[in-house]
Amino acid sequence: MASEDEINLLVIVVDVNPIWWGQQAQRDPQFTLSKCMDAVMVMGNAHMAMARTNKLAVIASHCQGSHFLYPSKSWSGEDGGGNDVSSSGDGKYELLSAANNLIVEEIRNIMSKIEVTGNSTDTLLAGSLAKALCYIHRLTKELEVGQEIKSRILVVKAAEDCALQYMNFMNVIFAAQKQNILIDACVLDSDSGLLQQACDITGGLYMKIPQKVALAQYLLWVFLPDSEQRSQLVLPPPAHVDYRAACFCHRNLIEIGYVCSVCLSIFCNFSPICTTCETAFKIQLPQIVKPKKKKLKQPM
Amino acid sequence: MDEEPERAKRWEGGYERTCCVSSFPGLLWNMFHPQGGVCVFSHGQVRLGMMRHVYVVIDCSRSMEDQDLKPNRLTSTLKLMEVFVDEYFDQNPISQVGIITTKNKRAEKLTDLAGNPKKHITALKKAVDTVCVGEPSLYNSLNLAIQTLKHMPGHTSREILIILSSLTTCDPANIYELIKTLKSLKVRVSVIGLSAEVRVCTVLTRETGGSYHVILDESHFKELLMLHIKPPPASSSSECSLIRMGFPQHTIASVTDQDAKPSFSMSHLDSSSGPGLSLGGYLCPQCHATYTELPVECKVCGLTLVSAPHLARSFHHLFPLQAFVESPVENLQGDRFCQACQAELKDKSMFSCPSCHSVFCVECDLFIHESLHCCPCCIYCQTVP
């Protein structure tokens, strides 16, 4: 059993890309953004109900920014800790309903304020994950003496990956690994290589949901238990992560490649100049033996 | 002796680099995402030595039993070395470290050059029991390090870090000749002194282009050690080449698979705990030998095996994050909240990113520059045309 002083923080990052959700509502009217947010709120409430000291944060991530749905800046300043609530019954219910109302209001604000420019259906998760890490870092610093905090991030991803964020994403993953923060991923539509790597490196769970309408069930079954309890449960097996690199010239996945020692770009074939940093490479040439000049035979 | 005060001033002022440093052309680089895609970044100014071979020489002479560092110098040094090894492999995943100890006028290798931190840490833990006796030998330890370093390929950076606590050294031959050899082999030697400045170390580090510091206390010792974790600027004479590397696939097979065949992991063949049969692992693309961990150099065919994230770990050295601009909080109109952690800005100063002008608090600024290496709000600005 976790001690009373151990705080369990769950940060849920929800992908609310409006273009993807709009297309999704047309494809399948049964599963819309509001259904998804309902499932997320069920998950959040369940997490907060597991223990008195559990904390929750929800971030919405879309193509132009990421926004904290809960706890919100405009709230009265009480954190989702419940440390000063004496009676468990009524206090917890108020806390949960307050959280739900806040989330609903904030998401409504965001979706009405978004100006959709272009039709990018990608998700820029790196920024939201970075904000989540900063928030976790802040809460860790604000702990009282004797309290410990264990944090994890759950990503609910809808749209496809955006390749532009590879570097930032990897930096965020390494920072999370260093701070011992798990990153779990619940993918609704298309597989995401970046999230697979994130889950593998940080030790979290990656799952692509077969049926979107049952999102709440999957969230509660797979992602609600924390890392200690997961060892005692039979959970979906880890996905096979492809760690092969793609060459910079053709973008093919290669198993053996050549790496520039200066800028670490990867090539599939040997070339005398690195195309990224334009350094000329020293090539070990075999000794060239000058052929002996033979006298041409005069035609008779 | 006239030159001594000048040298002392220059040494106190920080380390000087006698190697020249070249810069990249000022272009925006197009960096391909290893799994397909394009990222655009601005360039770094300096070429860095990404693949490093570092030998750490630890002095185990009588002076290490001195108790000015608690509990004694040797224990304190070994503990800090464990931290150093962990951080080093975190920041330089494709580099290698080896440890040499010197005492009784001789030098011996504690661990060979290897890319696996566990071996070094076990050896360091065992070394706490060594008896500190005799005098160190700078010549012998440098010679021992050179024996291996001179065979390393030219594009890697060859470094030796000496932790010297004794004020004397016992050398069998002229150390100035050895310094000339070190210079010709392009080995960079740095020294961390635990007692006081020693002239031969000053000459050694100046000639080879390394740094020489003497510690003030334990926290200063840690700071100085951590300075050596960042990759050093590569000298213009170091060769650049294409290194052939393999990117193995990770196979996870279960007992119920019909094709699953158990195999010995090559990395454990040398260990005394006995080879373990395993069903999965990383298969070398050239010879199909199995390994449990990366990065590793294949024992069968000699190919360096890494995974794409290992290379990605070094990217933040090549593309460092710009420093944020500090300004007083009063300048900010409207809500005063840090855009990363949502805390109210209570301090007098705030930090803003020069590219996206988002505002951060002091804590987030520190966290972003030390651990995250990327601005949480800049990514959105990159997509706006």
Side-chain angles (χ1 to χ4, degrees):
Chain A
M1 287 290 285
S3 66
E4 276 297 310
D5 288 327
E6 193 177 68
I7 300 178
N8 239 312
L9 169 62
L10 172 66
V11 181
I12 306 182
V13 176
V14 188
D15 175 17
V16 295
N17 187 314
I19 299 172
W20 190 90
W21 282 106
Q23 289 175 342
Q24 166 64 21
Q26 287 174 344
R27 277 193 292 255
D28 179 13
Q30 274 200 337
F31 185 68
T32 56
L33 180 58
S34 35
K35 293 266 169 36
C36 174
M37 291 310 298
D38 282 342
V40 167
M41 284 195 286
V42 164
M43 169 75 181
N45 289 352
H47 174 76
M48 287 205 284
M50 292 275 278
R52 222 171 60 91
T53 50
N54 280 2
K55 293 194 187 195
L56 177 72
V58 184
I59 303 178
S61 163
H62 54 85
C63 33
Q64 282 149 19
S66 47
H67 192 90
F68 268 80
L69 296 179
Y70 174 84
S72 161
K73 288 180 270 204
S74 50
W75 203 27
S76 57
E78 281 175 71
D79 255 39
N83 284 335
D84 41 12
V85 175
S86 46
S87 64
S88 54
D90 285 342
K92 191 58 76 180
Y93 177 75
E94 275 178 27
L95 182 66
L96 294 184
S97 65
N100 289 350
N101 291 341
L102 204 61
I103 292 176
V104 167
E105 204 184 300
E106 286 292 332
I107 191 102
R108 207 176 279 147
N109 283 344
I110 295 174
M111 296 314 272
S112 54
K113 280 188 201 157
I114 288 183
E115 289 166 19
V116 177
T117 48
N119 38 0
S120 56
T121 50
D122 331 51
T123 277
L124 292 172
L125 273 181
S128 325
L129 286 176
K131 284 195 183 175
L133 285 181
C134 289
Y135 179 75
I136 293 174
H137 177 76
R138 171 190 142 209
L139 282 198
T140 321
K141 290 267 170 169
E142 283 176 3
L143 282 182
E144 291 158 13
V145 178
Q147 278 184 328
E148 287 172 7
I149 187 164
K150 265 215 245 157
S151 332
R152 57 195 169 103
I153 302 178
L154 167 63
V155 178
V156 177
K157 188 169 161 310
E160 288 110 28
D161 274 341
C162 176
L164 282 170
Q165 56 176 337
Y166 175 75
M167 183 103 111
N168 288 343
F169 205 90
M170 295 310 283
N171 282 332
V172 167
I173 294 175
F174 296 134
Q177 188 205 20
K178 217 164 169 198
Q179 311 262 321
N180 288 329
I181 298 173
L182 295 182
I183 298 182
D184 297 320
C186 180
V187 173
L188 300 179
D189 196 17
S190 41
D191 267 320
S192 154
L194 288 176
L195 276 178
Q196 279 178 344
Q197 287 189 29
C199 297
D200 197 45
I201 292 175
T202 55
L205 265 174
Y206 174 89
M207 186 168 173
K208 178 169 174 316
I209 301 189
Q211 290 165 355
K212 296 193 200 76
V213 285
L215 176 62
Q217 284 177 309
Y218 287 112
L219 285 180
L220 288 177
W221 165 48
V222 181
F223 297 106
L224 186 59
D226 61 20
S227 46
E228 281 168 3
Q229 297 158 1
R230 281 180 197 179
S231 53
Q232 295 158 13
L233 300 169
V234 179
L235 292 168
H240 174 71
V241 189
D242 198 352
Y243 276 127
R244 287 180 299 174
C247 65
F248 284 32
C249 30
H250 311 107
R251 295 192 221 167
N252 297 332
L253 287 175
I254 46 172
E255 287 199 323
I256 301 182
Y258 294 90
V259 176
C260 167
S261 61
V262 174
C263 63
L264 299 181
S265 17
I266 307 166
F267 302 102
C268 47
N269 287 317
F270 191 90
S271 69
I273 295 187
C274 171
T275 45
T276 341
C277 61
E278 296 174 16
T279 23
F281 296 122
K282 186 176 177 193
I283 310 170
Q284 298 256 336
L285 290 171
Q287 294 289 331
I288 300 176
V289 178
K290 270 191 170 166
K292 287 188 188 154
K293 271 189 176 168
K294 283 192 180 157
K295 277 191 181 156
L296 285 172
K297 279 191 179 159
Q298 299 285 338
M300 299 294 262
Chain B
M1 288 301 283
D2 286 328
E3 52 186 274
E4 291 291 348
E6 208 177 288
R7 292 271 178 248
K9 245 196 277 175
R10 285 223 294 232
W11 161 66
E12 278 169 5
Y15 46 92
E16 49 176 348
R17 297 194 178 115
T18 52
C19 57
C20 33
V21 145
S22 53
S23 59
F24 292 129
L27 297 169
L28 275 177
W29 290 13
N30 283 326
M31 189 105 171
F32 284 95
H33 160 7
Q35 312 253 294
V38 174
C39 326
V40 174
F41 299 101
S42 59
H43 64 100
Q45 282 294 330
V46 170
R47 227 168 32 190
L48 300 174
M50 290 275 103
M51 297 187 58
R52 306 166 66 189
H53 295 291
V54 176
Y55 260 114
V56 182
V57 177
I58 304 181
D59 177 4
C60 288
S61 61
R62 214 164 4 119
S63 52
M64 285 297 261
E65 285 187 348
D66 206 346
Q67 297 189 345
D68 56 359
L69 293 176
K70 303 293 171 221
N72 62 16
R73 282 185 186 176
L74 183 67
T75 323
S76 173
T77 308
L78 291 175
K79 241 191 275 175
L80 284 175
M81 276 303 299
E82 282 176 36
V83 175
F84 173 79
V85 165
D86 268 330
E87 277 293 322
Y88 176 86
F89 283 110
D90 187 55
Q91 299 285 324
N92 308 282
I94 45 178
S95 307
Q96 295 182 331
V97 151
I99 307 179
I100 294 176
T101 55
T102 167
K103 65 178 175 192
N104 237 352
K105 304 170 196 157
R106 292 187 197 97
E108 59 179 35
K109 265 193 205 166
L110 196 63
T111 54
D112 248 323
L113 266 187
N116 187 355
K118 289 189 202 136
K119 264 192 232 170
H120 299 300
I121 294 189
T122 13
L124 284 170
K125 288 203 158 95
K126 265 198 246 163
V128 181
D129 300 323
T130 53
V131 178
C132 300
V133 65
E135 275 185 41
S137 173
L138 264 187
Y139 185 95
N140 285 339
S141 31
L142 287 174
N143 214 8
L144 187 56
I146 290 177
Q147 300 303 324
T148 328
L149 282 181
K150 68 182 176 195
H151 296 298
M152 290 297 135
H155 56 76
T156 55
S157 91
R158 304 164 180 166
E159 299 162 48
I160 302 178
L161 172 63
I162 306 179
I163 300 179
L164 192 67
S165 100
S166 152
L167 291 172
T168 58
T169 166
C170 184
D171 302 329
N174 188 356
I175 198 167
Y176 291 96
E177 292 297 323
L178 191 64
I179 294 179
K180 284 198 196 123
T181 322
L182 284 168
K183 222 173 155 179
S184 66
L185 287 175
K186 295 184 205 137
V187 177
R188 179 191 260 130
V189 182
S190 301
V191 180
I192 296 182
L194 302 188
S195 309
E197 182 188 3
V198 178
R199 168 138 174 94
V200 74
C201 296
T202 320
V203 174
L204 173 63
T205 52
R206 191 185 62 222
E207 293 297 310
T208 53
S211 66
Y212 184 20
H213 295 278
V214 175
I215 66 166
L216 297 171
D217 55 25
E218 195 159 341
S219 51
H220 189 218
F221 190 4
K222 193 170 181 193
E223 258 179 59
L224 290 175
L225 263 185
M226 295 303 142
L227 276 180
H228 287 98
I229 286 180
K230 286 210 162 76
S235 60
S236 57
S237 49
S238 72
E239 302 159 11
C240 326
S241 53
L242 280 181
I243 313 156
R244 194 149 174 271
M245 288 190 180
F247 298 94
Q249 289 266 43
H250 186 66
T251 52
I252 315 170
S254 64
V255 189
T256 50
D257 277 351
Q258 280 180 339
D259 289 333
K261 295 181 186 97
S263 53
F264 288 107
S265 159
M266 286 296 173
S267 49
H268 290 135
L269 279 181
D270 293 339
S271 70
S272 50
S273 58
L277 280 172
S278 56
L279 278 178
Y282 296 97
L283 295 179
C284 170
Q286 206 165 240
C287 65
H288 293 284
T290 324
Y291 291 92
T292 43
E293 281 173 342
L294 292 182
V296 73
E297 196 177 314
C298 181
K299 287 197 179 112
V300 179
C301 60
L303 185 64
T304 312
L305 302 176
V306 294
S307 64
H310 285 124
L311 296 180
R313 263 186 214 273
S314 310
F315 285 161
H316 70 88
H317 295 299
L318 295 168
F319 307 106
L321 183 63
Q322 305 164 300
F324 289 168
V325 174
E326 188 173 348
S327 52
V329 180
E330 288 80 37
N331 292 0
L332 190 63
Q333 276 96 27
D335 282 334
R336 289 182 183 168
F337 286 101
C338 166
Q339 283 181 312
C341 65
Q342 314 293 303
E344 220 181 307
L345 290 171
K346 293 186 191 126
D347 295 316
K348 286 196 188 140
S349 54
M350 60 184 194
F351 293 82
S352 49
C353 170
S355 341
C356 64
H357 306 290
S358 332
V359 164
F360 303 107
C361 62
V362 173
E363 290 288 342
C364 286
D365 177 57
L366 212 60
F367 180 63
I368 288 172
H369 281 99
E370 277 180 7
S371 306
L372 263 189
H373 305 290
C374 65
C375 167
C377 305
C378 269
I379 179 108
Y380 299 106
C381 306
Q382 278 174 6
T383 50
V384 175

